[in-house]
Amino acid sequence: MSVVIEPAVTPELAAEHGLKSDEYQRLLEITGRVPTFTELGIVSVMWSEHCSYKSSKVWLRTLPTEGPHVICGPGENAGVVDIGDGQAAIFKMESHNHPSFIEPYQGAATGVGGILRDVFTMGARPVANLNALRFGSPDHPKTRHLIAGVVAGIGGYGNCVGVPTVGGETNFHRAYNGNILVNAMTVGVAPADRIFYSKAAGIGNPVVYVGSKTGRDGIHGATMASAEFSDDSEEKRPTVQVGDPFTEKLLIEACLELMATDVIVAIQDMGAAGLTSSSVEMAGKGGLGIELDLDAVPCRETAMTAYEIMLSESQERMLMVLKPGCEAVARAIFDKWELDFAVIGRLTDTGRLVLNKGGTTWADLMIEPLVSRAPVYDRPWLPTPAAAWVSADEVPLPCRPCEVLLRLMGCPDLASRRWIWEQYDSQVGADTVAGPGGDAAVVRIHGTGKALALTTDCTPRYCLADPYQGGAQAVAEAWRNLTAVGALPLAVTDNLNFGNPEKPLIMGQLVGCIQGMAAACRALDFPVVSGNVSLYNETNGEAILPTPAIGGLGLLRDVRRRVGLGFVADGDMVILLGETRGHLGQSLYLREIHGREDGTPPPVDLGLERRTGDLVRDLINDGLVTACHDLSDGGLAVAAAEMALAGDRGAELVLPIGVDPIGFLFGEDQARYLLTAADSVQILHRAGAAGVPACVLGTTGGTVLTINRCNAISLVQLRAVHERWLPQLMAGPAAAAGCPPDSERPVGATGCGC
Amino acid sequence: MKAAVIVFPGSNCDRDVAVALAQATGAAPLMVWHHAGELPAVDLIVLPGGFSHGDYLRSGAMAARAPIMRAVAERAAAGVRVLGICNGFQILTEAGLLPGALMRNAGLKFICRTVGLRVERADSAFTAAYRVGQEIALPIAHADGNFFADDETLKRVEGEGQVAFRYLDNPNGSAHDIAGVLNRGGTVLGLMPHPERASEPAHGGTDGQALFQGLVAALS
């Protein structure tokens, strides 16, 4: 057997591991000696931004995390909320941005795998996946390749494990050219009295490794995710892990089968920083020590060192602490599912992490100070300068409103995402009541008449212009989307994607967004129960748009009460609820029609948001509403068009007298819903009583969407424009050359002066 | 009607089809692990959808050689009805219980959508509650649903009327728009669409219900 000699640890080697010099000094103080190479590796990942949240922690603490429904807030593998009848929903969103840029298929696939494990490790059967994706400019040479790989990776993993991918969002902006965002969310359901936590207990209890074997893949992935990119980032490809969804499926079934017995003390998945973070976190939470025999770890490759075993990010692995004497029960289950099972250590009373291999001790560290003295930074920050107001006079209609609407419906941020979501199995489980394409997905809780409503939302351009309003808007839009299907919003998971926090303006974006989110979460009783922070999303010094993606979860007590966004019958009244001021700053109208990306984003009036949403939910639950859609990107006209397409039914709308058509049709004022009802009288009456502005805009019917009589677009044409853009992009330039131009004229439209 | 659902490692529609069967029969089907050497006496054997063995090697190839498949083949030979849905269809072709093979979709991508089908046979137990020529809508969700057989086989399959369902708008390149095919005796059916995903109003469609109801009527 060859003798393993580790490199001597020096300040330079520590710096190569991403430790700043003062962080290395702190490590020396804690250890009282020069750490071993393995110890350095372990501490460098524990103290990485990705694992320690050192730049965001002081601000994350300001988010509201408690509420009547919250069973477990941030700090565990995922958040847990009470959904009644002895059941709990467990959910979280997590980023896999850097790996997905380097190797899109495996990066995205393992992102899905990782977030699934965060949820089933707590005892939940995963019931839904969502994903929030941000790509660069559609004409950037890498964008098509990244979309194709990410979508195939998400589908390849989620479809195989048998968890439906029911929703999400996709945006395009050149700020993501060198740094895409792949944020994956998983939702699971568990018995409320059978939640599994990661806090180890019981000195002498066996520590058990289950799942796939450990290989050299992904070593230092967490450190990679904590640094900026440069042009040579593709050389980091070996740090991207490879996913095996088949093994994950077996792992889900085996873990849930084991959880139905009574043998598990604690369990944690091996995610970022693999065996390091799982063993240290479990022992640390329990205030115990842990001693591991790394010779017992199932390895896929020969001659792996202690360093490599501890830092490997091989996928589909879990670490658990069992009750004493229960190993045989557990082993039988994992044997049945043909998964590795190995007792690799014991809990001790020393408070130390001790790693033995081949008769040598490779690490011997006190755990508590590594956790309690982990670096925390209150980084300097600068507020984003206020943007200027944009008035409608500056940006007149260049053509008739129906032509503007057609252009918006075919623009990258509004065109149909069917090309993406048809590659995801959105129905496996046979409980998907509303899949992709609506305001929120609706997934029935198996065997009940209840359902979860799920959405992900963020409008990064708002966050860039005004982080506070953008943060509040992201929360408000998620809350609105859940409300629009009739659900009661319960809680939030967040995925905060930002640039380099060592730059005060970027740090100011993070601070502003969190402050806005906190205000909205409080006003809307929508606490944050889990989340993830991804910083250093920059390439060659260029930061992404600040992107605090919000994953929202709501509850429908009676799934039969839910409504969709499609018009359902001819002759229904179309009613606008909420206040329209015609806000055009940061609107898609401004960007797509006038090429301007400036102005203030629409302000969020949280009181009005709350009042309007509570009214809409009540109206839906009282059975008065036939369809409902929240107003967001593109404003009223786009919302009406989306409702018409979803229901394959037109409408005839007339604007109120005296309104400015640009702002009314395309303004992006918040706290608004468009709904349909067989009878408007009661709705207008109740809106009046609730102090919510409401007006009837017209009626549904026919095969044409008409605005003010003269602007008519056939649904056939609207659909063609809406559905064409993404498939055409993905078919490539050669295919696009043979297609009709985007400036195609509306048919059947007559002259107009709206 | 007593039914058994075979569960392979990687099956993921086993529970869904069990729910649909329970709704149609009033009793939960038996769930049989792929390692089992024997099958209890049942009227219907179902091979569910999913990714048995991860679809590694070839979809259905490894599952077709599972220990339980010997018993499935024996029962099929004895005339017990066997239904393979999606991955189950792939397993049945790999096991030689149905003709043809299922290749990668012509578009090379996974497709999940509801498609239109035409019912071609109403005289099998599986299709007895449909009418010949009836057009129905069922969801598909697969990457390998492109039905292929050599010309001679296709000629025989068509000649003997073994096609049970045809796509109205072929989504995956299947030969002769074949979405579901019977064995010569009409006792084994494989189909790519998922009737269990269209078996109650909450699914947004109920055209799959008749398949299970037809089986119950024929086999009870």
Side-chain angles (χ1 to χ4, degrees), chain B residues 21-220:
Chain B
L21 285 165
Q23 281 168 352
T25 65
L30 298 165
M31 305 304 279
V32 180
W33 186 235
H34 73 129
H35 265 309
E38 287 179 32
L39 262 172
V42 290
D43 308 303
L44 172 72
I45 299 165
V46 180
L47 277 57
F51 288 69
S52 57
H53 298 277
D55 273 0
Y56 299 151
L57 183 60
R58 255 188 345 265
S59 301
M62 283 189 265
R65 283 141 188 90
I68 193 68
M69 288 305 291
R70 186 186 298 269
V72 171
E74 284 168 8
R75 295 292 173 82
V80 173
R81 301 304 195 281
V82 180
L83 169 65
I85 301 169
C86 198
N87 189 228
F89 184 14
Q90 294 160 345
I91 295 168
L92 289 174
T93 60
E94 286 283 347
L97 292 174
L98 286 175
L102 292 143
M103 305 194 304
R104 182 55 43 105
N105 292 344
L108 303 181
K109 287 196 287 288
F110 189 96
I111 306 170
C112 177
R113 75 167 76 120
T114 295
V115 299
L117 302 170
R118 189 172 57 247
V119 179
E120 298 283 351
R121 285 271 301 268
D123 57 347
S124 76
F126 307 96
T127 54
Y130 297 107
R131 297 185 318 275
V132 170
Q134 185 180 347
E135 292 185 357
I136 61 173
L138 292 180
I140 57 166
H142 59 247
D144 297 329
N146 181 353
F147 184 83
F148 173 85
D150 59 47
D151 290 342
E152 198 179 323
T153 307
L154 277 174
K155 210 167 154 187
R156 199 183 66 236
V157 164
E158 293 286 2
E160 305 212 359
Q162 287 174 246
V163 179
F165 300 100
R166 256 186 251 274
Y167 299 111
L168 297 177
D169 185 9
N170 193 336
N172 53 24
S174 288
H176 294 202
D177 303 326
I178 291 172
V181 70
L182 291 156
N183 66 348
R184 285 167 118 162
T187 56
V188 178
L189 171 70
L191 77 168
M192 289 312 295
H194 287 271
E196 79 278 17
R197 295 186 185 186
S199 59
E200 52 175 310
H203 292 154
T206 55
D207 284 353
Q209 234 171 17
L211 187 141
F212 299 104
Q213 288 166 345
L215 281 166
V216 172
L219 302 178
S220 296

Side-chain angles (χ1 to χ4, degrees), chain A residues 698-712:
Chain A
T699 52
T700 58
T703 57
V704 173
L705 180 64
T706 310
I707 299 167
N708 275 6
R709 297 191 181 86
C710 44
N711 273 282

